Amino acid sequence: MEVIIPFFIAHWYLSLFFQTFFLHRYAAHQAFTMSKTMEKVFFILTWFFQGSNYLSAYGYGIMHRMHHAFADTPEDPHSPKYDESLFKMMWKTKTIYSAITNKELKVDERFTKDAPEWTAFDKFARSWVSRIGWGAVYTLVYWQFADVWWLWLLLPMQYLLSPIHGAIINWFAHKYGYRNFKVGDTSRNFLPFDFLMMGESYHNNHHKNGARANFGGIRWHEIDPTYYMILLLNKVGVIKLKREKEQQMKAQMKDMKQAA
């Protein structure tokens, strides 16, 4: 237990960080820029920390742009409003994501513009060889260190962390929580203090202004940990926040706070 619990927690947050930082805020919304070399570094880091859960920045970015454009309409890739259960929504999401990533689904150019793409690496990282290899690593860790039977219940979750992270927001943050803003969809802020999803659960804030790097900050308790990592990476020159956009966002968010 002394190894497995820290291992699970570390995997949860590291996998989630690269999902929210690289796939969501960069690939989907382009809240900041980075060099092509650094982009490839983050492709590799995303694969390393997501492991068997690896998601393509290209497929994720395009699908998420479609979600914002069609939120809670029949064209939405994932909406509790049009799916009977959480599992049906997850399967639909997986099917659309795979079709986009494999380029089997024709997508409007407005969704594909500047989407980060590294086809050769994606093909390897999404392969069953990679997924089974990572799954074997996780299983070996449990085999060596799981000293209580119930710890094995965590292992299937580690095989599927990225879909689980997505489902928490795509389902629960469209059904439960509070709203700071009236928007044309059912998005809600799922947690008042987001200790679980690194800022992702401030979903209503995010749907109000999708290109804003900071998902929190409307109420005093809405702290977005990923945003502070973005500020740090911007300061050391790894990424570059779009300053003009950020200034516009701050002015808009000041007005939003007063309205909220």
Side-chain angles (χ1 to χ4, degrees):
M1 193 160 69
E2 293 178 358
V3 172
I4 297 299
I5 297 298
F7 176 60
F8 179 85
I9 292 172
H11 192 197
W12 176 280
Y13 284 107
L14 288 167
S15 174
L16 177 59
F17 171 75
F18 285 95
Q19 185 164 334
T20 183
F21 168 80
F22 184 59
L23 305 184
H24 191 179
R25 306 186 202 210
Y26 175 71
H29 293 293
Q30 300 179 325
F32 47 86
T33 61
M34 64 178 72
S35 68
K36 287 298 179 182
T37 299
M38 192 56 61
E39 184 177 279
K40 282 183 165 55
V41 169
F42 279 106
F43 263 100
I44 294 169
L45 290 174
T46 300
W47 168 73
F48 185 81
F49 288 111
Q50 288 192 329
S52 63
N53 308 269
Y54 175 81
L55 294 174
S56 161
Y58 178 82
Y60 182 102
I62 291 171
M63 184 175 68
H64 190 73
R65 293 174 188 181
M66 292 169 66
H67 168 62
H68 276 262
F70 305 124
D72 289 321
T73 69
E75 290 79 25
D76 190 342
H78 42 70
S79 171
K81 189 175 179 180
Y82 290 94
D83 292 301
E84 297 174 6
S85 70
L86 171 62
F87 297 104
K88 284 189 176 181
M89 186 196 74
M90 290 176 70
W91 186 256
K92 176 184 173 183
T93 303
K94 181 261 181 193
T95 302
I96 294 174
Y97 160 80
S98 296
I100 293 170
T101 309
N102 295 329
K103 298 188 177 179
E104 298 167 348
L105 179 67
K106 187 175 181 181
V107 179
D108 194 297
E109 186 178 349
R110 63 180 166 142
F111 300 125
T112 62
K113 184 179 179 182
D114 298 325
E117 186 173 12
W118 190 2
T119 305
F121 184 78
D122 264 354
K123 186 175 180 180
F124 158 71
R126 295 178 62 239
S127 70
W128 281 110
V129 172
S130 174
R131 297 195 190 282
I132 292 172
W134 280 113
V137 170
Y138 307 154
T139 303
L140 181 61
V141 172
Y142 277 73
W143 182 263
Q144 291 292 319
F145 299 106
D147 51 359
V148 183
W149 70 267
W150 58 263
L151 289 172
W152 285 92
L153 299 176
L154 298 175
L155 182 58
M157 293 180 65
Q158 288 200 245
Y159 294 152
L160 298 168
L161 279 184
S162 296
I164 290 170
H165 291 150
I168 289 172
I169 301 305
N170 296 330
W171 183 268
F172 294 100
H174 277 266
K175 293 175 75 70
Y176 309 106
Y178 66 95
R179 292 161 67 91
N180 285 332
F181 306 107
K182 291 182 179 180
V183 292
D185 55 62
T186 60
S187 61
R188 296 175 177 274
N189 293 335
F190 182 48
L191 297 172
F193 176 67
D194 192 4
F195 66 94
L196 185 66
M197 296 299 296
M198 299 189 73
E200 285 285 311
S201 71
Y202 301 131
H203 204 51
N204 177 248
N205 296 352
H206 174 56
H207 269 252
K208 177 63 177 178
N209 203 329
R212 183 173 179 252
N214 185 1
F215 290 0
I218 305 303
R219 302 192 188 192
W220 67 270
H221 52 78
E222 294 176 353
I223 299 169
D224 179 357
T226 304
Y227 179 63
Y228 292 101
M229 289 298 299
I230 288 171
L231 292 179
L232 176 61
L233 292 171
N234 178 71
K235 188 172 183 179
V236 299
V238 173
I239 64 171
K240 186 176 181 181
L241 271 168
K242 296 181 177 179
R243 286 297 182 188
E244 183 178 344
K245 180 183 282 188
E246 279 295 297
Q247 289 170 358
Q248 292 173 352
M249 297 291 179
K250 285 179 180 178
Q252 291 174 11
M253 294 314 293
K254 184 177 179 180
D255 295 337
M256 290 180 190
K257 281 184 179 181
Q258 293 174 351

